[in-house]
Amino acid sequence: MAIVLCVLASARSEGYTATLLDRVIEGIKSIKGVDVEFVNIFDYLPISPCISCWNCARNDDHRCTLDDSMGRMGEGELVNKVLNANGLFIAQPVYFTRPPASVQLFFERFYPFMWSGELNGLPFASLSQAANNGGTRMADWEMSKWAFTRSFKYIGGLPVHMVQYDEACVKARDLGKKLAEAALEDAEERFTVTAFDKYMGTDGNPWDCLDGYVDDLTNGTRSYKGSLVEHALSHGTVKKEEAVNLLRNAAEELKLMLQYYEVGDRVKAKEHLIKMRTYWSPATIKEFLDDDLNQ
Ligand SMILES: Cc1cc2nc3c(=O)[nH]c(=O)nc-3n(C[C@H](O)[C@H](O)[C@H](O)COP(=O)(O)O)c2cc1C
């Protein structure tokens, strides 16, 4: 039996978000062999923000030591449900064009799984519902970014404004079915997410990693000159020898990534983005985080 954890991130348990989640749950339950575990996230608050103690990075089983439902060394009630799930669905209202604070708190506390990798490949889908002046697509974009940064298997997102409610009910049901099918596969064996899958997998998603990282890594310049790597090397703001050597390799990959990006070869550009980050991330850890991690 596969289990899909459906998280309602609205305090209004019979509000618009909840009624749309009901349609998703109908879709999930229509697939034989899949069960639903429903939670209202408000029943599990307060969830503490991550306090950057690095305990999860240091302890061998990569568990969170905070004393709340997302912690207790993996025994917190909510995190336990996440660990047991074969699929995760978040239904959220849109607040100020974004996911609500409860969702941010929830996902922020997935940092232990970045170290353990055990939720990599978890099938994930969401819906983002708004009733006023909108922002559903912007909130959906954020969910797709969570899927990327958490290495989930992204099944889809449904941005809904209440003017589209009727057709959204049908789409919600279909999205539930799709997630349930992926959960069944997960129950057999979790999908192994390679770096290639992860980066190429954002093609066509609301948030595509290439455009985001080109902007971010170049500090908005879209060229090597002015990029974070170039800045670090030319200003000597990274000092440790090992980190500097890693940065030099990152610089070469960044230049190649930008060359391919400029001519529109997104596959090659992403290949070099992947390589670039295999140098950039360890370089920044070595320079700025190693001391905290090894305390
Ligand atoms: C703090 C807050 C911020 C909101 N921001 C937006 C917004 O940016 N865009 C929008 O269309 N609606 C916004 N709304 C309205 C909600 O999206 C709307 O009330 C939604 O239907 C709530 O879902 P619910 O019935 O599940 O509570 C906001 C509501 C609250 C309480």
Side-chain angles (χ1 to χ4, degrees):
M1 180 64 92
I3 297 171
V4 176
L5 179 63
C6 290
V7 179
L8 174 63
S10 169
R12 297 191 336 136
S13 57
E14 291 178 11
Y16 295 131
T17 314
T19 60
L20 280 162
L21 180 57
D22 286 344
R23 303 289 83 76
V24 173
I25 290 173
E26 277 171 18
I28 296 170
K29 287 188 170 167
S30 72
I31 302 295
K32 204 164 162 261
V34 186
D35 222 346
V36 168
E37 169 98 57
F38 168 87
V39 299
N40 186 326
I41 203 165
F42 284 81
D43 294 337
Y44 295 89
L45 299 180
I47 295 172
S48 166
C50 174
I51 59 166
S52 194
C53 64
W54 302 107
N55 281 332
C56 65
R58 276 185 226 116
N59 63 52
D60 288 342
D61 51 1
H62 303 297
R63 292 294 186 245
C64 176
T65 54
L66 289 174
D67 187 20
D68 63 19
S69 62
M70 282 301 287
R72 301 191 185 112
M73 295 302 282
E75 296 301 322
E77 211 183 325
L78 188 52
V79 75
N80 218 327
K81 291 180 192 297
V82 173
L83 285 164
N84 283 329
N86 304 108
L88 174 64
F89 192 94
I90 306 281
Q92 61 179 10
V94 174
Y95 288 172
F96 301 111
T97 73
R98 292 182 175 82
S102 59
V103 170
Q104 175 74 20
L105 289 169
F106 178 63
F107 277 139
E108 199 168 286
R109 295 290 296 288
F110 276 49
Y111 202 46
F113 309 122
M114 198 196 85
W115 301 100
S116 72
E118 70 202 298
L119 293 186
N120 291 4
L122 177 71
F124 170 76
S126 65
L127 74 83
S128 305
Q129 175 277 325
N132 186 4
N133 56 8
T136 63
R137 295 179 74 83
M138 289 184 253
D140 184 49
W141 185 87
E142 292 292 338
M143 297 306 266
S144 154
K145 185 146 66 118
W146 274 120
F148 172 79
T149 55
R150 294 298 79 253
S151 298
F152 292 149
K153 183 176 188 184
Y154 184 68
I155 304 301
L158 182 60
V160 183
H161 192 281
M162 288 307 288
V163 297
Q164 308 161 302
Y165 185 73
D166 291 346
E167 62 252 49
C169 285
V170 177
K171 287 183 182 167
R173 206 170 185 280
D174 289 346
L175 186 55
K177 273 188 183 171
K178 229 170 134 188
L179 180 61
E181 279 156 3
L184 272 181
E185 286 173 18
D186 183 89
E188 291 282 315
E189 190 179 6
R190 179 143 296 166
F191 178 66
T192 307
V193 188
T194 63
F196 187 84
D197 296 327
K198 176 172 164 159
Y199 284 75
M200 299 299 163
T202 65
D203 280 347
N205 286 0
W207 185 79
D208 185 298
C209 66
L210 184 60
D211 304 299
Y213 278 118
V214 165
D215 186 56
D216 187 71
L217 292 167
T218 65
N219 199 23
T221 64
R222 300 195 168 236
S223 66
Y224 177 70
K225 182 102 188 103
S227 70
L228 298 179
V229 177
E230 190 267 342
H231 186 94
L233 289 171
S234 63
H235 288 68
T237 48
V238 167
K239 297 179 177 64
K240 291 180 184 162
E241 195 184 341
E242 215 179 317
V244 171
N245 289 337
L246 287 161
L247 274 190
R248 291 207 177 100
N249 289 326
E252 294 314 307
E253 293 300 335
L254 180 61
K255 286 177 198 165
L256 287 167
M257 174 188 101
L258 290 167
Q259 277 172 23
Y260 283 113
Y261 185 70
E262 210 165 286
V263 297
D265 189 337
R266 295 177 70 86
V267 173
K268 282 270 175 219
K270 279 191 179 181
E271 282 173 8
H272 289 287
L273 170 62
I274 293 167
K275 288 188 189 154
M276 188 273 172
R277 283 172 56 86
T278 64
Y279 296 118
W280 168 242
S281 182
T284 50
I285 287 181
K286 181 83 7 228
E287 181 71 23
F288 301 112
L289 299 173
D290 244 10
D291 293 347
D292 290 324
L293 276 166
N294 295 328
Q295 255 171 29

